[in-house]
Structures are given as C-alpha cells and as structure tokens.
Amino acid sequence: MDATTPPPDGDQNRGPAFLISSWIEVGIVIVIMILRFYGRSRLGQVGVDDWVMLLTAALLIAFVSVASVVALNGGFRHVYYLKSNMDLVFYVTKFNWISQPPIIIALATSKISVGFLILRVMGHSKWRKRFLYFTMVTCFIGNALSAIFTFAQCNPPKALWSTIQGKCWDPATQSDYAIASSCYNGVLDVAYALLPASVFWNLQLSTRKKIGLVLLLGGGIFAGVASFIKSSKLPGLSGRSDFTWNSYEPIVCVEVFLLIVCGSIPALKPIYDQIFGKPKGSSSPYNSFSRRGYRIQSSTDDQSLTLKRISAPGKTTTTVVNSRPKSDACFNSRSNKDVPPLPNDINIKKTFEVSVTGSRLPSHSDQDVVSGHEVV
C-alpha cells in the first residue's frame, strides 16, 4: 500500500470531480425514478421491473454516499502524498473497499430490470423468455460472487486496508474475475439492446416506427460500451501499491447511471406524450383503449380480440361479443349498463365468442385474460 517514489503526474485530487459528477447523476436518477413511478401508477402498470430499478437506484445512491467519504478525505489521490498519515490511508482504503459491493450488485439488478421490461412487451416467444431468465440469473450470480470475493479474498478481510497480516489471494485472481464479469455484463447490455429488434421488426409497421421502437428499448447499448471501457481499465486493480489512485474509476458509476436512464426511457414515454402530446398518426402495433378497468386490444394481423382486466381482481364472467357495423357493442359484466360503449372509431364486423381463462400475465399480477375467436 506504500509508494516510495513520487508519481510523474504530481499530486492530483480527483475527489471534487467525483463528487460533482456522481451527485449530479444521483439527482437525475431520483427525478427519473419519480417520473417513472408517476407514469406507471397513472396507468396502473407498476411492475417488477420498476421495483428492481428502484432497488438499483438505491444501490447507486449507497455507492456514491460511501465513495463520497473517500473523496472528502483525499482518498482519490496518489497514496504517495497520503503516506505521511497512515491512519488516513487505512481509513480511506477501508471505505473504498466497502463502497464496491453496492455498485457491483447494481450492475446486475439494472439488467434484471431491463430483462423484465422486455418480458412485458415481447409476447409469448419461448426462446426469448428462456434466454432472458437464464441471463438474468447468471448475471446476478456472477455479480454476487464478485461482491463476495471483494472481502473473501483476504482472511481476515481487515488485511485489505490495515497492517494486519492475513492470508490473501493473488490480487490478479480477483482482478481477472472482475474483468470476466464486466465483459459478460457488457455482452448482456448489447444483447438486451438488440433483442427488442427481433420482436418489433416483424410487426406490420412502417420502417420509421420500427426504428423508433428499437431505439426506445435499445439505449442500453451505451451502457455496454461503458462496460467494455471499464473492462479495459480493470487490470490496474491488481496493483495495490497505489490503490487509492488505481481504484478510482468513475466509469463504473456512469455505467449504472446509463443503465437506469436507458432502462427507464420506455416507461417515461407516457409522461412525454402527456406533456408534449402524442404525434399525429402515431399508433402502437395494437389498437387499445381502457374503459372502467378493462383494456381491449384488437390484433392487426389476425382475427382475434383480447379483453384484459386491469382493475382489481375478483369477479369474472364469460362474455360473448356481438357487434353491428358502426354501432356500439356491449361487453357484459353482470349487466350492460356497467360497461360503456366502444369508441366511435372502433367498428367490429364479426361475431366472437369469448371465454375467461384466468391465466396470469407476466407483467401484471392477478389479471384475467379473455380471449376471443371468430365463430365460423
């Protein structure tokens, strides 16, 4: 932990730059999370991905809070200029190690949140579901092990930041694992950014709208780039002689920040539409509307109708939908007066038989799904 020669770049304190940049990122993240939950709650669509992303934001704040203790005490300077006060060196090095597990776990939870977001919109593709669940589990296990190895590499762990003699791994071992884990995280960021393209590209939409949807859900590719940049800098962690300087990598904080921002952009679109208005002619792959707690979706590429209950669960009925051209259609739920007519721009010209299946959707708990099929 001691350095005997002065570094060529002199006495530089990178603490103030870290404090300014990281707390600005925290402020932006807090605003984004408030808007995310506000928009989702207005639609009654708060899901697992939202809560996991909230956990990610909390872990980022925990990391920045602990790392700020290091920055405020000169812990991001060369150890050569701190060695006159070894108690201070031990102090900042201790908090440097303590700050690492929260940000490592945040790298995993952010990807899990994005994975659940993709599960909400990608439909019923089995191979995509299996891929997402497998990568989410392996990502969490890999990052959890990396967090555990932070302290498990020395016995006792206090040997990492004090003069206590302990039995420690070769520093290169922990560094090599961190590099491998970071590369895997980067690959997942890119994969999660590209996966929605395989869903939306086959829809009957204009190329411009397809590109828009892919960009909306594919912002995580920037986090992937940050992850690969971080991987190229991790070999310096094996050098413990100037640990206070070598362990400073703001790209770690930036990576989690990008994951939170890019992973929340799709959830913020309803807020954007509410403030700036929905563009003329804009539409989703499905025509949808909500009335009295029900959402009705008519597919554009097949003859089927889906009625989803998005209110509180409890009462279910079997409903037959009969329609007349350019007239109102009623969906019976105990009595016709309880259900409002269809909007004027919806014109159903066929008869459908609808039955309640009682299945659960992955994105919302306790939702009944009513699927309709054309009566031949």
Side-chain angles (χ1 to χ4, degrees):
M1 189 175 296
D2 186 35
T4 57
T5 57
D9 52 355
D11 187 8
Q12 299 184 37
N13 186 3
R14 298 181 292 185
F18 170 82
L19 291 171
I20 294 172
S21 61
S22 60
W23 282 108
I24 288 176
E25 291 171 359
V26 166
I28 295 173
V29 164
I30 291 174
V31 172
I32 286 177
M33 296 310 301
I34 292 173
L35 292 175
R36 176 174 183 149
F37 273 83
Y38 171 75
R40 284 286 175 86
S41 61
R42 279 179 61 87
L43 298 175
Q45 295 180 351
V46 177
V48 177
D49 57 317
D50 301 304
W51 293 111
V52 177
M53 193 61 83
L54 181 62
L55 173 61
T56 303
L59 290 169
L60 175 63
I61 295 172
F63 163 76
V64 173
S65 300
V66 177
S68 294
V69 175
V70 180
L72 291 170
N73 288 276
F76 292 140
R77 298 165 59 197
H78 287 288
V79 72
Y80 176 84
Y81 299 102
L82 301 174
K83 65 181 183 179
S84 59
N85 186 352
M86 291 307 297
D87 289 336
L88 177 62
V89 174
F90 298 151
Y91 180 78
V92 296
T93 304
K94 174 183 177 180
F95 278 93
N96 194 318
W97 284 110
I98 293 174
S99 70
Q100 294 183 23
I103 201 68
I104 293 172
I105 298 299
L107 291 170
T109 55
S110 58
K111 291 171 183 55
I112 293 173
S113 174
V114 174
F116 279 117
L117 173 64
I118 298 174
L119 283 169
R120 295 178 72 156
V121 301
M122 72 171 192
H124 302 286
S125 173
K126 290 184 178 180
W127 76 265
R128 292 186 183 92
K129 284 185 177 180
R130 290 170 181 170
F131 171 78
L132 286 169
Y133 282 121
F134 174 79
T135 52
M136 285 191 289
V137 170
T138 54
C139 178
F140 181 79
I141 292 175
N143 283 273
L145 288 175
S146 184
I148 293 172
F149 292 161
T150 300
F151 296 105
Q153 61 181 306
C154 276
N155 184 22
K158 193 174 182 179
L160 288 168
W161 59 79
S162 68
T163 56
I164 293 178
Q165 296 297 319
K167 186 176 181 181
C168 298
W169 303 348
D170 183 345
T173 302
Q174 196 266 345
S175 176
D176 291 343
Y177 183 85
I179 294 171
S181 178
S182 179
C183 289
Y184 185 61
N185 288 335
V187 170
L188 291 189
D189 288 331
V190 175
Y192 284 7
L194 298 179
L195 187 62
S198 66
V199 179
F200 296 125
W201 210 254
N202 294 324
L203 298 178
Q204 296 178 357
L205 297 172
S206 65
T207 302
R208 186 173 68 88
K209 289 182 180 179
K210 290 178 181 179
I211 294 174
L213 287 169
V214 171
L215 293 177
L216 188 66
L217 289 169
I221 197 167
F222 298 107
V225 173
S227 182
F228 291 128
I229 294 175
K230 180 190 69 178
S231 300
S232 67
K233 298 179 178 295
L234 286 176
L237 289 177
S238 59
R240 302 289 172 84
S241 60
D242 197 6
F243 183 76
T244 55
W245 182 265
N246 293 333
S247 61
Y248 173 81
E249 280 303 337
I251 193 68
V252 177
C253 190
V254 172
E255 181 183 359
V256 176
F257 170 74
L258 288 174
L259 285 166
I260 294 175
V261 172
C262 296
S264 298
I265 287 177
L268 299 181
K269 190 176 184 304
I271 302 294
Y272 178 88
D273 292 339
Q274 180 181 347
I275 296 174
F276 298 101
K278 198 170 182 180
K280 279 188 177 182
S282 64
S283 62
S284 64
Y286 297 94
N287 302 316
S288 63
F289 63 94
S290 296
R291 293 291 186 271
R292 290 183 182 263
Y294 288 85
R295 174 176 297 135
I296 301 173
Q297 295 179 327
S298 57
S299 174
T300 58
D301 57 355
D302 59 25
Q303 297 178 341
S304 63
L305 192 69
T306 302
L307 175 63
K308 297 180 182 177
R309 176 140 67 99
I310 56 176
S311 59
K315 298 177 181 179
T316 59
T317 60
T318 299
T319 307
V320 176
V321 181
N322 293 305
S323 63
R324 296 182 297 276
K326 298 183 180 180
S327 64
D328 296 337
C330 293
F331 296 83
N332 280 330
S333 177
R334 292 182 299 174
S335 66
N336 290 343
K337 65 180 181 179
D338 291 335
V339 183
L342 294 172
N344 293 330
D345 59 344
I346 302 295
N347 182 19
I348 305 176
K349 297 183 178 180
K350 294 184 182 294
T351 300
F352 294 82
E353 180 177 336
V354 185
S355 61
V356 176
T357 61
S359 61
R360 290 192 176 214
L361 297 177
S363 58
H364 304 290
S365 62
D366 298 328
Q367 287 185 329
D368 294 326
V369 177
V370 183
S371 57
H373 303 281
E374 182 182 3
V375 177
V376 181

